[in-house]
Amino acid sequence: MRNALLIFLVLIASLSFAQKAVTITGRVTNEKSEALSNVNVKVLNTDYSTSTNSDGSYTFTFIPPANALKVSFTLTGFIRQQADLKIDNQSQLIKNIILLADVTQLKSVTINSGQSRYGNMQSIDDGLIKNIPSVSGNFESVLKTLPGVSSNNELSSQYSVRGGNFDENLIYINDIEIFRPLLVRNGQQEGLSFINPELVSKASFSAGGFEARYGEKLSSVLDVRYSRPDSTQLIASAGMLGLSASAKIPLKNAYFLMGFRTKTNQSILKSQPVKGSYQPQFYDFQLLSSVDINNKFNIAGFGDFNLSHFTLIPESRETTFGTINQQYRLRVDYQGQEKDRYESLATAITLTYKPTQNLWFKLISSAFNNHEQETFDIEGSYIFDEVSLDVEGFENVRINRGIGVNYEYARNRLKTSIYSSEIKLFHQAEKYFMESGLRFQYDKFKDRLNEYELIDSAGYILPNTKGDLPVGDAVNAENTVQTNRITAYIQNTFPLTTGLTFSAGLRSNYNTFTKEFLISPRFSAVYRPVDKDIVYRFSAGSYNQPPYYRELRNFNGDLNHQAKSQRSIHLLAGTDYIIKKGGAGLRFTTEMYYKKLNNLTPYTIENLRIRYYADQQSKGYAAGADFSVSKEFVPGLESSFRLSLMKTAEDIEGDSYQVKDANGAVTTINPGYLKRPTDQRVNFSAFFQDKLFNSPSYKVHLTLLYGSALPANAPGENRFIQYFKIPAYKRADIGFSKDFLEGGTRKKLKALSRNFSSVIAYAEVFNLLNIHNTVSYLWIKDVSNNHFAIPNYLTSRQLNIKIIAKIKN
């Protein structure tokens, strides 16, 4: 693998020569000379783009593909401007732009209430999406480097935020709430996430304290936008892990976005502990069209079809673990197979009506249909030994701990239908921005469960006198749940004094399952002192999460019809400080938070599978602090470092128990607050980018992740017996890239330059240090009835090569 990477780098280096970078700076204002922030500045027919800061300034450095360039400046509500620039051997250009208000504009109305840096939504740099080395290739890989976010599985797009679990995160695409499959057990089965990275034009994320306009979840919100492109773009990508193609086509009064992706991570899965035939097939097709009917009406349609097939025919497994002085070895021979299918179909229609420049309405109707199937019938015959190494390095069996059989069976089916319709109103005045909405949703879950597991850990070395076979986790149930949900919200954002902005909102929800009517007040305040580039933020709010389906279902498949909504109160305070203005400034962000949690439903996490104790209830808390530093250490390439400290615990109602001492005296013990399954005290991430070979066209992208140990429990053990833990997650991924048509290289590759505006090659090494990270355990008992946790490891070191090409118009 090292030789292949070296050959690849030598080949792309042979096409390079000295190229001169250019820096473009400037300021964007309106006709009143007021600064405009979040203006998209893009060099047409290239990947180079940036956004203006709060003072309207922008700067970025790149290698010009030609002497003459076209740069576009776009912001919703303003007429798009295009500037023609000539390089003429200049190293720095200054271009100031005035944008005029577009009184007729209706295309793809994007709501902006003056937040981003000045609120609790953190903008995500779209350059990170394509550059970050990622095994999954999903958009969510970027989130795992953000403050407050943790993930211990590179194969999955799932993530936890500040002590919450995967079910507590909101995702929106163009104001459409996204719903994911529920039956996925591990990262091997998980295919392509809903978000297509090539179609994303803007994304923002909040790790807590988000506004009333966002829905009923406890932890976070990811707001993604697919918007009108500046120019026609055709993009194709091919690599060892999959293919993709996308098209962005703007017309006079319409635009179209299309994206197709396919993924097969068979080469990655071959490094898993279980050896066998892996046959993963994942597909995703998305289409978005937007048409202006006239100056007041716009209609947009969105569709997505996502299909995941996963087949595994396991053959064998050998895992050695333990300490230097005491090592164990598990050998397993398998029979049987696993076949899973996850199919999702989503459609949505959005109608926008804008009677005046400052008033508009949106009607959003959507439908989600998910069909999930789990089928496996696998028998594993194993030998479990305690081993030692002799002087020649061979393993010698010291003690045989057990010979047994592990049998797993499942025929599970889940059909989910979710239909919703929502109307939103927006009013922009000179001194405030107000919005409100009313939403109705109907969801139906039809579930058929039939699964069991048999672990005969002793191999009948001890006689079985009970006569029947001890089967664990046996579930045979059929459930249908139908729920109507009504939600409404109103919020207003306005300045109180110079530099102080206040946002207040109220959200309410009612559902026919729990029959609760809940009100959630939320507010935030942002203060920026005059003439200082520092921002102080404070937010507080109430968040309620009514149960959908998974929270209702107990381990045995029964439903808890007395379930109530989980509740949380968020308190957050933070600062955002830029030491030096401009794109190269050092930005330091810190935020402290406390979350009070009530009416919680306790759960366990097994790999990606969340299993709720639906008949139990608890109260808890999560508290911590996030610190991050970001800077363009190299012009045009932002690097970031973050540190997150967090503690979360819960107190389960009615979990007290009694013990007898040697004299027969009974003592009642209350375990009190216990670590939650997501209690990961320390998270660190770094994403570093640099240029190589003294040429700005060669780049290196390095990702480092660290997450401290997580609590774990053996099956059947009480939650308060927290003897086990999943070791710390440590990972390093590195990628190298080269754009063959960047700068003067274009002259050497005329054949490519005639048909492509950009051809970028990537060489990536996943798990650079080849660290064996544990994602879960296989639990067995020896003949003495001792529990042993056999680690299930994640992926090992792998090489990936891919090419992304942009076809000329």
Side-chain angles (χ1 to χ4, degrees):
M1 186 188 69
R2 290 193 297 266
N3 293 335
L5 179 60
L6 180 60
I7 292 172
F8 177 81
L9 293 175
V10 170
L11 286 176
I12 61 176
S14 65
L15 296 172
S16 174
F17 58 90
Q19 302 167 58
K20 188 175 181 180
V22 172
T23 299
I24 300 179
T25 60
R27 190 167 183 263
V28 183
T29 60
N30 60 16
E31 60 268 33
K32 297 179 182 180
S33 299
E34 298 171 335
L36 296 177
S37 61
N38 295 318
V39 177
N40 181 261
V41 184
K42 179 177 177 60
V43 181
L44 297 183
N45 298 318
T46 73
D47 291 328
Y48 300 113
S49 66
T50 188
S51 298
T52 57
N53 298 322
S54 58
D55 59 357
S57 64
Y58 70 92
T59 180
F60 58 98
T61 302
F62 66 102
I63 296 178
N67 188 55
L69 303 174
K70 294 182 182 295
V71 181
S72 68
F73 300 80
T74 55
L75 180 64
T76 301
F78 293 84
I79 299 174
R80 176 177 176 268
Q81 296 286 344
Q82 182 173 297
D84 296 324
L85 301 179
K86 288 188 176 181
I87 306 303
D88 293 334
N89 295 322
Q90 300 180 75
S91 61
Q92 186 166 357
L93 296 174
I94 299 176
K95 187 63 181 179
N96 298 321
I97 290 291
I98 298 175
L99 293 184
L100 303 177
D102 186 355
V103 296
T104 65
Q105 187 185 55
L106 184 63
K107 302 179 181 68
S108 184
V109 175
T110 301
I111 310 308
N112 186 348
S113 57
Q115 298 298 304
S116 65
R117 186 188 170 202
Y118 300 101
N120 261 342
M121 299 297 290
Q122 177 180 353
S123 297
I124 299 175
D125 184 0
D126 58 357
L128 300 181
I129 301 170
K130 64 178 182 178
N131 288 334
I132 190 167
S134 166
V135 171
S136 69
N138 290 323
F139 176 88
E140 289 82 355
S141 298
V142 177
L143 302 182
K144 299 173 184 180
T145 65
L146 299 183
V149 181
S150 62
S151 175
N152 283 35
N153 194 332
E154 65 271 7
L155 292 172
S156 173
S157 62
Q158 304 279 23
Y159 53 93
S160 300
V161 180
R162 291 177 174 172
N165 66 32
F166 311 144
D167 291 339
E168 298 176 10
N169 303 317
L170 282 164
I171 299 178
Y172 292 90
I173 296 180
N174 289 14
D175 292 326
I176 303 164
E177 186 175 353
I178 305 304
F179 299 93
R180 301 185 180 194
L182 299 178
L183 291 186
V184 175
R185 294 171 181 251
N186 55 63
Q188 301 173 356
Q189 303 166 329
E190 186 178 308
L192 293 159
S193 74
F194 202 96
I195 303 170
N196 187 329
E198 293 180 353
L199 300 184
V200 174
S201 58
K202 183 181 293 186
S204 53
F205 178 78
S206 173
F210 43 88
E211 301 167 315
R213 69 189 302 258
Y214 297 113
E216 283 68 41
K217 296 289 185 179
L218 296 183
S219 292
S220 74
V221 59
L222 173 62
D223 193 346
V224 176
R225 297 287 167 174
Y226 295 173
S227 302
R228 180 183 179 88
D230 295 321
S231 59
T232 300
Q233 300 177 32
L234 303 175
I235 305 172
S237 172
M240 298 171 62
L241 300 181
L243 306 170
S244 68
S246 62
K248 303 179 182 181
I249 305 173
L251 302 175
K252 182 179 180 180
N253 295 311
Y255 69 88
F256 300 91
L257 306 178
M258 291 174 285
F260 173 77
R261 294 175 291 162
T262 178
K263 170 183 163 183
T264 174
N265 54 358
Q266 190 173 24
S267 61
I268 297 292
L269 298 181
K270 285 182 179 179
S271 66
Q272 294 286 276
V274 176
K275 306 302 178 184
S277 175
Y278 289 88
Q279 302 169 28
Q281 294 178 321
F282 309 123
Y283 306 94
D284 181 84
F285 177 76
Q286 295 188 23
L287 173 66
L288 172 67
S289 62
S290 177
V291 179
D292 289 338
I293 301 174
N294 53 39
N295 290 337
K296 296 183 182 296
F297 284 96
N298 172 275
I299 187 170
F302 175 77
D304 175 80
F305 178 72
N306 191 294
L307 179 62
S308 298
H309 279 287
F310 178 78
T311 300
L312 168 61
I313 304 176
E315 296 175 357
S316 63
R317 166 180 179 162
E318 180 173 326
T319 304
T320 301
F321 65 100
T323 64
I324 296 177
N325 298 323
Q326 192 171 28
Q327 289 196 345
Y328 301 93
R329 183 185 65 199
L330 176 72
R331 287 179 173 174
V332 188
D333 290 322
Y334 292 101
Q335 291 182 345
Q337 64 178 334
E338 173 183 355
K339 287 188 175 182
D340 305 312
R341 177 185 173 95
Y342 308 95
E343 179 183 310
S344 298
L345 177 63
T347 57
I349 295 178
T350 301
L351 179 65
T352 304
Y353 172 58
K354 193 172 183 181
T356 68
Q357 177 64 21
N358 298 322
L359 178 67
W360 59 96
F361 301 85
K362 292 183 76 172
L363 176 63
I364 306 170
S365 297
S366 64
F368 285 79
N369 288 280
N370 296 338
H371 297 262
E372 305 174 54
Q373 299 179 8
E374 284 185 322
T375 304
F376 52 84
D377 193 343
I378 299 175
E379 177 184 312
S381 301
Y382 67 83
I383 300 176
F384 183 43
D385 297 319
E386 184 175 338
V387 298
S388 61
L389 295 178
D390 59 22
V391 292
E392 296 181 356
F394 292 99
E395 290 182 344
N396 294 319
V397 176
R398 295 179 56 192
I399 302 173
N400 176 257
R401 289 285 184 175
I403 300 174
V405 175
N406 178 26
Y407 184 73
E408 295 179 332
Y409 174 94
R411 300 290 188 271
N412 298 330
R413 306 290 185 267
L414 176 63
K415 181 179 180 181
T416 305
S417 300
I418 301 175
Y419 306 98
S420 68
S421 187
E422 180 177 15
I423 186 168
K424 291 172 172 279
L425 177 149
F426 307 93
H427 183 240
Q428 177 74 65
E430 183 177 354
K431 292 188 177 181
Y432 69 87
F433 180 86
M434 187 188 73
E435 59 179 296
S436 60
L438 177 64
R439 173 187 172 98
F440 172 79
Q441 177 178 307
Y442 166 80
D443 48 66
K444 179 180 179 180
F445 298 88
K446 189 173 182 179
D447 189 15
R448 179 69 177 94
L449 281 168
N450 183 13
E451 67 174 82
Y452 64 88
E453 180 181 13
L454 165 66
I455 302 179
D456 171 25
S457 297
Y460 294 104
I461 294 174
L462 300 179
N464 176 24
T465 58
K466 295 183 178 180
D468 53 357
L469 201 62
V471 177
D473 290 336
V475 180
N476 195 337
E478 189 167 349
N479 301 314
T480 299
V481 177
Q482 300 181 66
T483 309
N484 295 318
R485 307 173 192 271
I486 299 176
T487 59
Y489 78 93
I490 183 171
Q491 76 174 43
N492 194 12
T493 303
F494 53 92
L496 287 176
T497 62
T498 301
L500 179 61
T501 301
F502 188 78
S503 178
L506 192 68
R507 189 173 187 92
S508 63
N509 73 78
Y510 173 82
N511 73 87
T512 56
F513 189 93
T514 66
K515 295 181 172 55
E516 297 171 290
F517 179 76
L518 302 173
I519 296 179
S520 304
R522 306 174 188 178
F523 72 91
S524 64
V526 180
Y527 175 65
R528 179 184 177 184
V530 180
D531 299 327
K532 292 183 179 180
D533 208 346
I534 186 171
V535 174
Y536 300 95
R537 299 187 307 271
F538 177 79
S539 62
S542 172
Y543 299 84
N544 304 304
Q545 182 169 321
Y548 268 83
Y549 176 69
R550 188 150 59 176
E551 302 97 315
L552 301 173
R553 195 180 74 185
N554 217 328
F555 280 43
N556 61 3
D558 294 341
L559 300 182
N560 178 15
H561 292 277
Q562 307 303 317
K564 297 298 181 182
S565 300
Q566 301 182 85
R567 304 182 186 183
S568 176
I569 295 176
H570 292 194
L571 298 173
L572 302 94
T575 61
D576 187 353
Y577 179 49
I578 296 181
I579 296 178
K580 180 181 179 181
K581 290 185 178 180
L586 179 66
R587 177 173 172 173
F588 180 75
T589 302
T590 181
E591 189 166 80
M592 302 180 67
Y593 61 90
Y594 178 81
K595 297 195 294 187
K596 182 180 179 181
L597 309 171
N598 288 299
N599 290 352
L600 295 177
T601 304
Y603 60 89
T604 63
I605 299 179
E606 302 166 6
N607 203 315
L608 295 181
R609 189 188 191 192
I610 301 177
R611 306 182 71 186
Y612 287 91
Y613 297 92
D615 56 349
Q616 299 182 20
Q617 197 172 73
S618 67
K619 62 180 179 180
Y621 66 89
D626 297 321
F627 309 91
S628 67
V629 177
S630 60
K631 178 181 172 60
E632 291 186 0
F633 296 100
V634 177
L637 295 175
E638 183 176 86
S639 299
S640 62
F641 306 85
R642 67 99 177 192
L643 174 66
S644 296
L645 307 175
M646 185 271 298
K647 180 181 179 180
T648 182
E650 63 183 337
D651 185 3
I652 302 174
E653 296 180 4
D655 63 344
S656 58
Y657 62 99
Q658 294 180 334
V659 295
K660 289 184 178 180
D661 60 19
N663 299 320
V666 178
T667 303
T668 300
I669 297 177
N670 183 2
Y673 279 90
L674 308 171
K675 296 177 181 179
R676 302 191 76 198
T678 53
D679 182 50
Q680 196 167 45
R681 301 295 174 89
V682 180
N683 266 280
F684 171 80
S685 68
F687 181 56
F688 180 75
Q689 301 186 93
D690 202 352
K691 297 177 180 179
L692 298 174
F693 308 129
N694 295 321
S695 171
S697 63
Y698 289 93
K699 303 177 181 69
V700 59
H701 320 279
L702 174 66
T703 303
L704 302 175
L705 295 174
Y706 172 83
S708 58
L710 287 166
N713 280 83
E717 297 284 0
N718 291 318
R719 277 283 309 277
F720 52 81
I721 304 178
Q722 296 181 325
Y723 294 144
F724 295 94
K725 64 180 180 180
I726 295 177
Y729 181 82
K730 294 168 281 190
R731 187 173 178 88
D733 299 314
I734 192 168
F736 304 90
S737 65
K738 162 67 179 177
D739 190 340
F740 294 103
L741 299 184
E742 194 171 26
T745 311
R746 180 181 299 269
K747 299 177 182 178
K748 285 190 173 184
L749 300 169
K750 293 182 180 180
L752 278 178
S753 62
R754 282 195 297 266
N755 301 298
F756 300 93
S757 59
S758 172
V759 177
I760 305 176
Y762 290 85
E764 300 171 324
V765 182
F766 303 135
N767 197 357
L768 180 65
L769 304 179
N770 202 29
I771 297 172
H772 295 292
N773 287 306
T774 300
V775 66
S776 62
Y777 291 112
L778 170 65
W779 300 93
I780 65 173
K781 290 183 179 180
D782 65 5
V783 294
S784 301
N785 207 35
N786 297 313
H787 251 131
F788 284 85
I790 316 299
N792 293 316
Y793 295 123
L794 285 164
T795 59
S796 60
R797 184 189 294 125
Q798 295 286 329
L799 171 67
N800 180 49
I801 295 176
K802 65 179 179 180
I803 296 178
I804 301 176
K806 284 192 174 182
I807 303 172
K808 275 191 173 180
N809 302 343

